[in-house]
Amino acid sequence: MSYVGKLRKKLFGVIDAVCTQREKYFVSSKKDFTRRGKFIPQDIFKSLLLMESKSLSHELLPYFNFKKETPTPSAFVQACAKIKPEGFEAVFDKFVSETTDNNAKYLYKGYRILAVDGSDSHVPDNPDDPESYFPNPNYNLFHINAMYDLIRHTYTDVIIKKKRTTNERAAFIDMIETHRNDNIPIIFTADRGYESYNDMAHVTEFGHKFVIRVKDIDSQGIAADLGLPDTYFDKCMTLKLTRRATREIKEMRKTDACIRHIMGDLDYLPKDYDRKAPAQFYELPIRIVRFKVKNTTEVIMTNLSKEEFSVGEIKKIYGMRWSIETSFRDLKHTIGLNYYHAKKSDNILQEIYSRMVMYNFCQLITNSAKIKRTKSGKGRKLAYKIHFSQSVQICREFLKNKIKCNDVLMLIEKYILPIHGGKDHPRTKAPRREIYFNYRLA
């Protein structure tokens, strides 16, 4: 069996395994899906994987091959309500586990490189949900905290929260907690939203590495007031963090800029302490790199050693982080996360997990495709990549058994795009709304 055939079998096997755990993932294990109906629970998972931007009725008809037994949208929604969102989360987690290995081609100098970032998703209006609702103008937001493998180009973990309850830094700690005992070291890279002593301390305590962009030295961030020169540099130091702000600490601070008084979260320093006892310190070894990027200056904080990673490699690792940004674009527009078919929170969670599983499935198949040389054997002027949008469409038809296993990669390899480097267009900031149900494509 070909790789794509094995991957499809693995995905369907994960879905079957989740469906057998009725007590864990069904709302009512004794009642739900016990009678012979128009569809089985596996149909719920598979149909949500394959949904695009059409209305629900137009999505169901082709999935059930336009048979007269095709369930109505109402029946489908009621069936979805019988499965807990945790069932879809389990499919995502199990599929990630089944498709993750420690192959050297997915490592950088022996490290996995995982990016962490968050993205808002506009969901259908629901004023009755105060945790996601925003008035004037009326809209609802869910926040997706994701961890992304920058070499394999797949999501490895996700925490989904309603916008008003989200905490990106806490979500980061929860996600790296799952890698506490990993045998392969990991480099976690993140943007300025994760500039936190607590996040850096957790990564360090777990034996992994971090590359995090922080605010510049003239700001109110971590890199401020450390006595650093206003030029480009690569310096190592050990921050001494304490919750005490006594006169003694202030005097020590005059001669040692690395002593920092903190009031926020730091799980390795107790919040309650004996005022008569000596001050407690938590030592955080860091390396601060400041360099020029085009017309601006960036500051990176890391715990990678100078001997193992040069400044150029630090810049390269952080530059790779942009892939998680483009992955959100593909997830929303190409996979179809912008097009929800539900209004209730549990059903929305089902769709988000399904889209992320579909993204991983398509990326894994796309990764195995190879760009062929020209017929003349000559090299091309530009580097090329697989057309991901076309690849997704082919993968969808493959999951519907409309394309043979041996034809999938051959079709994907036909569609390639040139990579134009050096472009730097300003990001267009415009409000983006959910697509209303009555304006879907036919």
Side-chain angles (χ1 to χ4, degrees), residues 53 122-124 338-341 432-441:
S53 61
H122 287 265
V123 300
N338 277 344
Y339 304 92
Y340 286 98
H341 301 81
R432 189 175 298 280
R433 300 299 305 274
E434 77 284 350
I435 309 300
Y436 287 101
F437 297 111
N438 54 334
Y439 286 103
R440 297 295 171 87
L441 298 176

Side-chain angles (χ1 to χ4, degrees), residues 14 16 51 89 108 120 168 196 224 245 247 267 276 288 291 305 312 322 343 359 371 375 377 389 400 423 431:
V14 166
D16 290 338
M51 283 190 181
E89 182 181 8
Y108 181 82
D120 291 334
E168 286 190 333
S196 161
R247 292 179 182 178
D267 297 335
K276 296 181 180 180
I288 305 180
F291 50 82
S305 67
W322 189 251
K343 287 188 176 182
Y359 178 92
I371 297 176
K375 292 182 179 180
S389 180
K400 298 176 186 176
K423 292 188 176 182

Side-chain angles (χ1 to χ4, degrees), residues 1 9 38 40 46 52 65 80 91 123 162-163 172-173 180 190 202 224 227 239 309-310 337 355 380 395 398 423:
M1 186 183 294
K9 183 178 179 181
K38 294 183 178 180
I40 57 177
K46 294 177 183 178
E52 302 180 48
N65 296 317
C80 287
V91 170
V123 300
K162 295 177 181 179
K163 180 62 176 179
F172 180 28
I173 292 173
R180 177 189 287 268
H202 274 273
L239 299 179
F309 290 88
S310 65
L337 185 61
R355 298 292 192 278
R380 295 184 171 95
C395 290
F398 171 60
K423 292 188 176 182

Side-chain angles (χ1 to χ4, degrees), residues 192-248:
R192 285 186 295 210
Y194 299 87
E195 180 181 350
S196 161
Y197 295 121
N198 201 28
D199 288 351
M200 296 177 188
H202 274 273
V203 175
T204 302
E205 292 291 334
F206 294 168
H208 296 302
K209 306 295 182 181
F210 59 83
V211 174
I212 299 176
R213 183 168 73 128
V214 299
K215 296 176 183 176
D216 208 348
I217 58 175
D218 58 354
S219 67
Q220 299 297 318
I222 294 176
D225 301 326
L226 285 175
L228 297 170
D230 189 11
T231 183
Y232 308 126
F233 55 79
D234 180 7
K235 292 185 176 293
C236 295
M237 60 182 64
T238 299
L239 299 179
K240 302 167 187 175
L241 310 176
T242 181
R243 296 193 185 280
R244 303 285 286 272
T246 60
R247 292 179 182 178
E248 180 185 3

Side-chain angles (χ1 to χ4, degrees), residues 395-407:
C395 290
R396 281 198 178 107
E397 298 304 309
F398 171 60
L399 284 177
K400 298 176 186 176
N401 288 316
K402 293 184 178 181
I403 301 177
K404 296 179 180 179
C405 291
N406 295 332
D407 295 340

